[in-house]
Amino acid sequence: MAIDEAITPERDERLSAERAYELYWADLLGADATFLCVGQGCEAHLICACLEKPEQNLRIRPYFRSRRLEDHAATCEVVHARGGEKEENKPDVFEAQRPADHFRAAPSVTAPASVSHDGLAPRRTSGVTGTAKRASHYYRLSSLVQKFLEHRRDDDLDEASVEIGGETTTYAALFRNVYRQKVAELTGTRAVWWGKASIRATKEGGYFLTFSRPFRHDDTELRPTITLAAKDIEAYAVRRLLKARLDKLIDEGGRCVVFAWAKPWMPTNAESAFVRFYVNNLDHIDVRGTEVLDELKNTSRVAR
């Protein structure tokens, strides 16, 4: 069974599998990190699936799972579900900016920790057990794209909601395909724009992306572009993950599908019209292989 959250004694933190994945790729969490169950009175050890994969399977997000179900305590409500009223579905939350200490180093341990009966580090975190459902907070657009794909499969894009900057919208309204849309009417519209594209490396150490499917503008078609600057990549905490994905796509021919949380930008006085997406925060872009097109095509929805 998939488990949403765990406790990691090394960081004295309760965290989601998404956060564990980010910390690993930011070199702040080792592959041998300890993950413990959050259930009441339970210290069962968990595994974070997909932790070391630079390219997640399109149908799977990182998640925790039990080593052995019998390791969980009898009081653990994570695996021994308790009855009760159905919890209200809360919107996911996409945070446009990470907290300043989001990638903090693990706290130093001033006293030597004791060793548990199985030789692994014991639980140090206190007062954080319990499985009350909490809204999922995401910082990387990649995580939100995964949820979008899941909701397409479930055919509930119009009902599933996400909060951004205090405003709530549906996944159906948030994700928009650039293809054949009238760009002049949309320059003030921030959305998760997506479409087929090509990618190449720049000599400065960045990346340049060109959409294959165009916007419409009067009687012309405009293919938007995105530049990922080398300086922004170098400053990005999860750059190892980003570069691994982008370099692999380039090695395979450069064809890709881009998702970007941004507004289309058009110059007002240029001799020839063009469109760009400015993505200075690299959390706001997700670049995938073209196999995701099959995932989009083989669902009941057609992106707007």
Side-chain angles (χ1 to χ4, degrees), residues 82 88 99 132 160 166 185 189 196 198 209:
R82 298 174 180 175
E88 178 185 359
E185 300 174 3
T189 302
K196 290 174 62 177
S198 61
L209 300 108

Side-chain angles (χ1 to χ4, degrees), residues 232-251:
D232 292 332
I233 293 171
E234 187 59 32
Y236 186 45
V238 201
R239 60 184 173 276
R240 188 164 64 96
L241 174 63
L242 178 68
K243 288 178 67 66
R245 290 180 171 177
L246 299 186
D247 290 343
K248 185 173 187 295
L249 288 169
I250 292 172
D251 289 342

Side-chain angles (χ1 to χ4, degrees), residues 2 10 51 57 74 79 97 127 150 194 219 226:
E10 288 90 345
L51 185 67
N57 183 301
V79 297
Q97 197 70 34
E150 291 171 15
W194 69 271
D219 296 327
I226 300 174

Side-chain angles (χ1 to χ4, degrees), residues 11 24 32 36 52 66 81 84 99 109 194 206 249 278 290:
R11 295 185 59 83
Y24 171 79
D32 59 348
L36 303 176
E52 300 177 56
S66 301
V109 179
W194 69 271
L249 288 169
Y278 283 98
T290 53

Side-chain angles (χ1 to χ4, degrees), residues 57-61 145-157 288 292 295-296 298-301:
N57 183 301
L58 291 174
R59 300 186 67 85
I60 300 175
R61 287 180 291 118
V145 172
Q146 287 293 125
K147 291 299 294 285
F148 168 68
L149 295 173
E150 291 171 15
H151 287 303
R152 284 179 67 93
R153 294 179 211 122
D154 295 338
D155 196 22
D156 64 355
L157 286 170
R288 301 184 175 228
V292 73
E295 172 75 1
L296 295 170
N298 294 332
T299 53
S300 59
R301 295 282 180 170

Side-chain angles (χ1 to χ4, degrees), residues 168-241:
T168 300
T169 186
T170 65
Y171 278 88
L174 180 62
F175 281 76
R176 306 186 67 163
N177 192 336
V178 303
Y179 184 53
R180 301 290 293 168
Q181 299 217 37
K182 296 180 179 179
V183 66
E185 300 174 3
L186 298 167
T187 54
T189 302
R190 184 179 292 277
V192 179
W193 294 99
W194 69 271
K196 290 174 62 177
S198 61
I199 181 172
R200 62 175 176 83
T202 66
K203 62 181 180 180
E204 294 82 12
Y207 299 89
F208 186 77
L209 300 108
T210 304
F211 281 73
S212 307
R213 293 293 183 93
F215 279 115
R216 282 188 295 162
H217 181 60
D218 296 332
D219 296 327
T220 63
E221 295 183 338
L222 303 178
R223 290 171 171 77
T225 60
I226 300 174
T227 299
L228 305 182
K231 63 179 180 63
D232 292 332
I233 293 171
E234 187 59 32
Y236 186 45
V238 201
R239 60 184 173 276
R240 188 164 64 96
L241 174 63

